DNA sequence: GCCTTTGTGGCACCCAGTGCCAGGATCGAC
DNA sequence: GTCGATCCTGGCACTGGGTGCCACAAAGGC
């Protein structure tokens, strides 16, 4: 997947460690699930903070061995990411589904808003998830690898639309910029308990489109 | 420094651990220096690879204790970064020195090219340094924190020029985009043993300016 | 009941990073 | 020269993430 340039192969492999008991009903049954473990861990993170929670504690709280934890998550840092690879596929599909008449930045904006739509019941969880990823330094650092994969999805779409390769500068620049405003919108969302994520992303992307449409020196990113 | 939003305070503090023997000539003398340690470590990295080199080995090769190593570098990951904080100051100063007549993106491009100028004798070292930072996954992840600080320099400049705050979307987007093309240009540079970094950055930034000046759907990032 | 498959988890180990603290080296003061 | 202040060194012990190995437990098929 993606250009060989920015891709860190380890990142992709580390994501889904050993998808235990994929479909075969033979053999010993799993003692728990990724999701269950995630919930247990999130509860501990909320109580003690991410750094102060050890893997031993998570495993103990989930009633499994420490060794087994690492069969569900390749690292403690991966806990908040859920099924991110699948999300990437969703985003890719959503972009592909955009009719060619829609301009590139519009298509990205629509896909982005769609992609980040969360059920009302899941909003609290998503907030905690993103709070961890974006505010815990170790997790933010770890996120680089995921973000690279995410940007590659954008870059590939832009490349396909503009007849370039994903590794070229314009696709890369746009992908980086889109990631940037997304992160900025998320930060804003985390700061404001009643903000609507979709709206923030929509506004943010419109401002980015403006920035791409006119030099920011003359029009400071405002929507006309 | 910078907006409270994207800044991870730990990043800044961790950078210069205990600047040993800053100027006072009293007390026991240092056994080595950051730079000497860096050279020793780079030699080992070249021979065995980054991940396969342990801190113990670096310390042993440098003739110091492992404990002492951590007084020169807060972590193994920080070795390739040299005196990055000072570099940031240099970049800031370089941007400030740009006359207001020069357009924002032009100013950033010029500063960027200047900032990344390396003496011919230092090119090989800089290559090894950036190869580590950009290609070793653990280091690339670690770099997030430094990149955030770096982007903030750009964002603040754009903000000052356009009458916004650095945390707003346009400055953040531009900063992300500039980082993106910089990384892309560096990747290109690392791939091509005879490429000129300054030229690559210049071209890349011109293409970015084009992308900002016209929707990439109609003009695919080419220079007119 | 056996065999195969699959998940579990204990054990031992590696490595990064830290707090503590007993030194060693160098100064200026006396 | 000796003393004390100052600063650097590095050993020791410890925490915590992550891994290889392997014995074992639980399930299904036959």
């Amino acid at each position: 997947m993606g250009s060989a340039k920015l891709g860190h192969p380890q990142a992709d492999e580390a994501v889904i460690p050993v998808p235990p008991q994929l479909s075969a009903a033979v053999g010993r049954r799993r003692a728990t699930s990724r999701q269950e473990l995630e919930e247990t861990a999130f509860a501990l993170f909320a109580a003690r903070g991410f750094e102060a929670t050890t893997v031993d504690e998570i495993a103990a709280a989930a009633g499994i061995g420490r060794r087994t934890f690492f069969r569900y998550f390749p690292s403690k840092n991966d806990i908040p990411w859920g099924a991110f690879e699948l999300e990437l596929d969703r985003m890719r599909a959503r972009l592909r589904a955009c009719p060619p008449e829609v301009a590139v930045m519009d298509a990205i904006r629509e896909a982005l808003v769609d992609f980040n739509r969360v059920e009302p019941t899941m909003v609290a969880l998503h907030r905690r998830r993103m709070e961890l990823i974006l505010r815990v330094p170790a997790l933010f650092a770890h996120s680089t690898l995921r973000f690279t994969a995410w940007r590659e999805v954008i870059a590939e779409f832009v490349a396909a639309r503009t007849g370039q390769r994903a590794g070229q500068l314009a696709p890369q620049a746009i992908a980086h910029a889109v990631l940037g405003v997304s992160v900025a919108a998320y930060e804003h969302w985390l700061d404001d308990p009643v903000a609507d994520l979709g709206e923030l992303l929509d506004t943010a992307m419109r401002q980015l489109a403006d920035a791409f449409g006119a030099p920011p020196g003359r029009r400071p990113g405002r929507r006309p």
Side-chain angles (χ1 to χ4, degrees), chain A:
Chain A
M1 180 240 304
S3 83
K5 294 197 140 203
L6 288 170
H8 286 293
Q10 287 87 334
D12 298 47
E13 286 160 358
V15 167
I16 293 175
V18 179
Q21 197 105 7
L22 221 152
S23 61
V26 73
R28 182 173 177 171
R29 283 184 203 140
R30 283 171 299 161
T32 180
S33 67
R34 268 179 93 92
Q35 216 202 316
E36 239 180 73
L37 265 184
E38 185 189 295
E39 283 167 28
T40 309
F42 271 38
L44 288 175
F45 294 160
R48 289 173 236 206
F50 178 83
E51 325 248 0
T53 307
T54 69
V55 171
D56 292 76
E57 288 169 338
I58 299 169
I64 61 169
R66 165 196 161 75
R67 191 62 186 81
T68 301
F69 169 86
F70 285 108
R71 293 222 176 75
Y72 284 86
F73 293 95
S75 83
K76 185 184 163 190
N77 288 339
D78 287 301
I79 297 174
W81 284 94
F84 188 64
E85 298 311 287
L86 300 179
E87 301 289 286
L88 281 190
D89 287 338
R90 236 186 67 218
M91 180 72 176
R92 241 185 300 263
R94 179 63 186 76
L95 281 170
R96 240 197 314 269
C98 264
E101 307 90 75
V102 182
V104 182
M105 294 307 274
D106 288 333
I108 295 177
R109 172 171 46 76
E110 287 169 16
L112 193 65
V113 172
D114 248 36
F115 175 68
N116 284 286
R117 205 184 299 282
V118 284
E119 292 177 50
T121 57
M122 296 301 229
V123 170
L125 175 65
H126 196 226
R127 266 185 191 277
R128 270 176 296 155
R129 192 190 294 283
M130 295 312 293
E131 205 135 0
L132 286 170
I133 290 173
L134 295 179
R135 310 254 224 229
V136 175
L139 292 179
F140 190 62
H142 187 71
S143 69
T144 307
L145 309 173
R146 307 298 181 90
F147 284 161
T148 297
W150 191 89
R151 283 198 315 263
E152 228 39 45
V153 174
I154 304 288
E156 275 162 19
F157 174 73
V158 175
R161 274 296 190 90
T162 60
Q164 299 173 81
R165 273 170 294 110
Q168 284 184 276
L169 288 165
Q172 288 292 324
I174 293 176
H176 264 95
V178 170
L179 174 66
V181 289
S182 298
V183 169
Y186 259 102
E187 290 276 359
H188 200 118
W189 180 61
L190 290 178
D191 281 338
D192 183 349
V194 298
D196 181 79
L197 178 57
E199 261 178 51
L200 280 172
L201 283 165
D202 187 84
T203 307
M205 278 301 295
R206 286 185 194 280
Q207 291 186 14
L208 176 65
D210 285 355
F212 268 82
R218 292 189 289 126
R219 227 195 320 158
R222 286 265 164 62
R223 197 160 154 198

